[in-house]
Amino acid sequence: LRDAEHRRASRIPSQFSQEESVTMKESLKGAIQIPTVSFNPGEFNTTALAEFGEYMHRVFPTVFRTSFIRHEVVGEYSHLFTVQGSDPSLQPYMLLAHIDVVPAPDQGWEVPPFSGLERDGFIYGRGTLDNKNSVMAILQALELLLIRNYIPRRSFFIALGHDEEVSGAHGAQKISALLQARGVQVAFVVDEGSFIMDGFIPSLKKPFAMVSVSEKGSLDLMMEVNSTPGHSSAPPKETSIGILAAAVSRLEQTPMPNMFGSGLLKITLQQLAKEFSFPVNVIFNNLWLFWPIVSRLMERDNISNALVRTTTAVTMFNAGIKVNVIPPVARATVNFRIHPAQTVQEVIKLAKDIVVDDRVQYHVLEAVEPLPVSPFDDRALGYQLIRQTIESVFPEISIVVPGTCIAQTDSRHYTNLTTGIYRFNPIYLTPQDFSGIHGINERISVQAYEMQNR
Ligand SMILES: CC/C=C\C/C=C\C/C=C\C/C=C\C/C=C\C/C=C\CCC(=O)N[C@@H](Cc1ccccc1)C(=O)O
Ligand SMILES: [Zn+2]
Ligand SMILES: [Zn+2]
């Protein structure tokens, strides 16, 4: 069934005319120029979000006038498309992306972050990788398929959230609730979250596709120390700032336990083993013996370290009111990204056991458990369809492996609709590209974007 479905879908040629290639890249540039920034939960650029809705109508007219596609606006600025397939016996699937972006001050950028300027074969701008590339590629591909008289057999949904960067409570969460109220269950969901990894493992020259089948959880833990205010000319031995700084420093200096043995990473490396030459292939094929060395090596780099443990990032620190006043209160917020083999409660206990200071009070601001592992065996429809599609669009990619997403995505709001949640963005990503996500000079190559439209 899976092979047959895949062959049918491949019948429509995926070559683009020169005019189509130009249109698709200009449409992405236009999308980047609309500053759909999410600042804080509930604090968005609503003018830009409304403009983005109008922009989609303008650049994808066929999508909006096709009789078997229903378009709904959810939560004021998010969009849900229901594409009715010809065979109602097939369970629908769902494609996700988000239209909001994180803020981007001009400083440090080679071109203004909302210019969408093209330079040396790259389109620059906030959202070119996270995640307007997906928004535009999904709709662009659908637009071009419709022009080629495409009628899908299997129904599908396209859900475009407008507040992923600040939790998804107004977008993805509402779309998911709406579909649940309609009794919808989907076969699988595909969202952002992993890429075709290029140059992330120094001894591996060939790129590999990683499809994330799980996602780390998170915990925002606010730590607070109160002390009696007074004149700074006669200070106590320790102030609230000093006590909190020491507690925060202990957390930074004491990493959470290495969970290499209890996660998916062993499977990822075993599947990757054949891509390496001797001796790495032997080491990855015999992790029962070599895991202590491998797990230590993974700790050396920030990205691979994030795959082996719950990470600890002190992201906010506030204290002090005047130069000559002993500070009454000091507060710090620590953002933990929880390894799938741990729970929120375990991480809170571990943090308290590291700090061991009862003058520190703890407040959980936000907590999300890690997501369950979606099936990726031979019978897992979603995973196998994604794998086959990667193999046919990118024949040069010799391996597709399951992995864990180190960040959080809107897909976590869809666990009520399916057990098959997969995170994959069909784009080559180098460590340098990765630094552009939420950073400076975020960019996508024109060629890579064209491939994403196939
Ligand atoms: C064998 C493996 C060896 C080497 C490494 C190979 C691969 C590296 C693995 C992963 C790195 C690549 C990409 C994934 C990371 C992030 C990008 C994708 C999505 C970003 C989504 C995002 O930013 N989400 C926010 C959501 C959020 C917003 C507000 C409050 C909470 C959450 C986030 O997580 O911060
Ligand atoms: Zn994103
Ligand atoms: Zn993001």
Side-chain angles (χ1 to χ4, degrees), residues 259-270:
M259 306 300 289
F260 180 81
S262 356
L264 192 69
L265 190 54
K266 278 203 314 199
I267 298 176
T268 308
L269 296 182
Q270 276 157 3

Side-chain angles (χ1 to χ4, degrees), residues 40-101:
N40 284 301
E43 203 189 312
F44 327 111
N45 183 342
T46 51
T47 313
L49 288 169
E51 188 187 338
F52 200 90
E54 289 160 20
Y55 183 70
M56 290 193 308
H57 277 83
R58 209 162 56 244
V59 291
F60 305 120
T62 321
V63 170
F64 285 90
R65 65 159 179 256
T66 293
S67 59
F68 58 84
I69 300 180
R70 175 182 180 191
H71 168 246
E72 294 166 275
V73 174
V74 182
E76 285 188 83
Y77 304 105
S78 287
H79 299 265
L80 173 65
F81 298 84
T82 306
V83 183
Q84 198 61 54
S86 59
D87 186 346
S89 72
L90 297 173
Q91 194 176 31
Y93 64 98
M94 188 161 198
L95 304 176
L96 308 183
H98 62 90
I99 61 182
D100 63 324
V101 296

Side-chain angles (χ1 to χ4, degrees), residues 300-317:
R300 288 193 178 174
D301 166 84
N302 289 345
I303 295 178
S304 51
N305 180 54
L307 292 170
V308 297
R309 61 162 40 88
T310 294
T311 52
T312 306
V314 184
T315 50
M316 294 167 83
F317 201 110

Side-chain angles (χ1 to χ4, degrees), residues 251 254-257 259 310 336 342-356 362:
L251 273 178
T254 320
M256 293 283 161
M259 306 300 289
T310 294
F336 297 94
Q342 288 178 321
T343 64
V344 170
Q345 282 312 316
E346 282 166 359
V347 172
I348 295 174
K349 180 167 185 327
L350 281 163
K352 289 182 178 173
D353 289 348
I354 290 167
V355 171
V356 243
Y362 301 86

